[in-house]
Amino acid sequence: MARRAAAPQAQAPAADLVAETAAAEAVLKRLQLTITRKLDGLLLGDYLGLLPGPGSEAGESREYRAGDDVRRMDWPVTARTTVPHVRQTISDRELETWLCVDLSASLDFGTARCEKRDLAIAAAAAIGHLTVRGGNRVGAVVTNGESLKRLAARPGRMNAHGMLRRVALTPRAPAGGTADHANYLADAIDALNRPPRRRGQAVVISDFLTDDIVQSDSPGEPAWERPMKKLAVRHDVLAIEIVDPRELSLPAVGVLTVVDPESGAVHEVSTDAKVRKAYADAAATQRGAIAGALRRAGAAHLRLATDSDWLLDIVRFVAAQRRGRSRGTTR
């Protein structure tokens, strides 16, 4: 009798895993359908990836334009013509894209259409759809703030779908479970630098709210900025910042009870006009510090919010990147 009673309890975790996998699969199928309808064909043409960056094969020379990368100066042609020229490059036939997906506790929050975690997974799915074509490979490094896992880069839509399923099934970290809130994101980004790879794309998806940003009145260089700079030396880097409207401003609702998803601490805040203004000013300073760090690191910056049409935001971003590239602007 004791063995019979124990059997259902032993099978319960397996049943939970099956249910979670089925739920993740249903979400990914809906995402794939939505992304295919709205984004399919967006990048058909000269560019193989989300960022229309240069390839590695040398092409023809053309006159220098403001914004061109000086590292691509064609000095022999410049000396011969006395007019500055840059060497154009031909896009690689195969592109390798690596995602760094932050699913730490601070992303288990949302007050609009979805949680920030859901939006981070949706952004990863969109990037996978836009880049995994023509033999391109997509891999990922995923962190929940407590542990880190690497998913190998493989070609094909089926492999990309399997990778996204594993990203979606990443367990949520318990509140207060992160040992080092300042360095977990830096470690995840630095994992994209190892081992060294040929030039490709790297996409970092996070809210970038590490302790050195959150707990500083005048944020300096965050811990993740240095590995981001190192990554941008070799790859085209895109940083996707995930935000929620309540992180930018407080509503006028009297006394508001808030919970820190990272530590689990509970606070009661009086949302009077003075507090709301101070909060909005501090949030603007914080977001400005994040944008400045990403700019110094040489990463393209895309902000997605839980209360906006994130697919439309991606379309606008890609269109702006293509226009900038056609004018000779690389960032």
Side-chain angles (χ1 to χ4, degrees):
M1 295 295 292
R3 290 182 180 178
R4 290 183 180 178
Q9 295 178 5
Q11 294 175 359
D16 291 343
L17 179 60
V18 170
E20 290 178 7
T21 303
E25 190 69 29
V27 170
L28 289 176
K29 284 183 177 179
R30 289 197 300 271
L31 273 174
Q32 184 179 13
L33 181 60
T34 303
I35 292 167
T36 300
R37 284 176 175 175
K38 292 192 176 183
L39 296 186
D40 201 24
L42 177 65
L43 295 184
L44 293 181
D46 297 334
Y47 307 121
L48 299 181
L50 188 64
L51 289 177
S56 59
E57 298 180 16
E60 298 180 351
S61 293
R62 62 164 173 80
E63 290 189 13
Y64 174 86
R65 300 171 189 162
D68 281 341
D69 190 344
V70 295
R71 292 174 295 183
R72 294 194 291 118
M73 291 293 296
D74 191 335
W75 296 112
V77 176
T78 299
R80 188 169 60 251
T81 63
T82 69
V83 177
H85 277 69
V86 293
R87 174 70 68 176
Q88 293 180 295
T89 52
I90 302 171
S91 296
D92 298 322
R93 290 187 178 274
E94 292 183 0
L95 179 72
E96 186 167 283
T97 298
W98 278 87
L99 311 178
C100 175
V101 186
D102 174 12
L103 297 178
S104 59
S106 65
L107 281 95
D108 296 337
F109 173 76
T111 62
R113 300 179 180 180
C114 61
E115 287 188 349
K116 294 196 295 180
R117 176 190 177 98
D118 300 327
L119 185 52
I121 294 172
I127 292 165
H129 174 79
L130 288 170
T131 56
V132 63
R133 61 180 71 198
N136 295 340
R137 297 180 299 277
V138 181
V141 170
V142 189
T143 179
N144 64 358
E146 192 176 51
S147 62
L148 184 147
K149 62 182 176 182
R150 183 190 298 270
L151 307 177
R154 295 188 175 94
R157 291 188 181 276
M158 292 302 295
N159 285 323
H161 187 80
M163 181 202 70
L164 291 169
R165 186 190 305 115
R166 294 179 65 184
V167 171
L169 289 173
T170 301
R172 297 173 185 260
T178 305
D180 191 338
H181 289 282
N183 290 331
Y184 78 88
L185 182 58
D187 292 340
I189 296 173
D190 200 42
L192 298 183
N193 290 310
R194 303 187 304 269
R197 303 178 183 87
R198 71 173 187 173
R199 184 178 177 88
Q201 288 184 167
V203 182
V204 181
I205 305 173
S206 176
D207 57 7
F208 298 98
L209 294 179
T210 50
D211 276 356
D212 45 11
I213 286 285
V214 173
Q215 298 180 2
S216 176
D217 294 331
S218 56
E221 178 179 311
W224 46 261
E225 182 179 339
R226 188 174 296 274
M228 187 85 80
K229 288 179 179 177
K230 182 179 177 182
L231 192 64
V233 170
R234 191 173 182 84
H235 306 284
D236 290 314
V237 180
L238 169 62
I240 299 182
E241 181 187 5
I242 307 296
V243 301
D244 185 86
R246 290 287 73 83
E247 295 174 330
L248 306 178
S249 63
L250 288 175
V253 292
V255 177
L256 179 66
T257 301
V258 295
V259 180
D260 183 350
E262 294 280 3
S263 65
V266 180
H267 302 278
E268 289 189 349
V269 179
S270 176
T271 59
D272 56 51
K274 183 178 180 180
V275 170
R276 294 200 308 275
K277 184 179 184 307
Y279 181 93
D281 291 344
T285 299
Q286 183 185 86
R287 295 298 166 178
I290 293 172
L294 294 175
R295 185 168 54 250
R296 291 192 300 269
H301 183 196
L302 168 61
R303 178 180 290 181
L304 300 181
T306 58
D307 63 340
S308 65
D309 187 338
W310 58 274
L311 275 172
L312 182 58
D313 291 338
I314 290 177
V315 170
R316 288 171 174 166
F317 173 82
V318 173
Q321 289 287 312
R322 299 180 95 176
R323 288 196 302 270
R325 186 67 184 168
S326 66
R327 293 194 300 265
T329 304
T330 57
R331 292 291 177 193

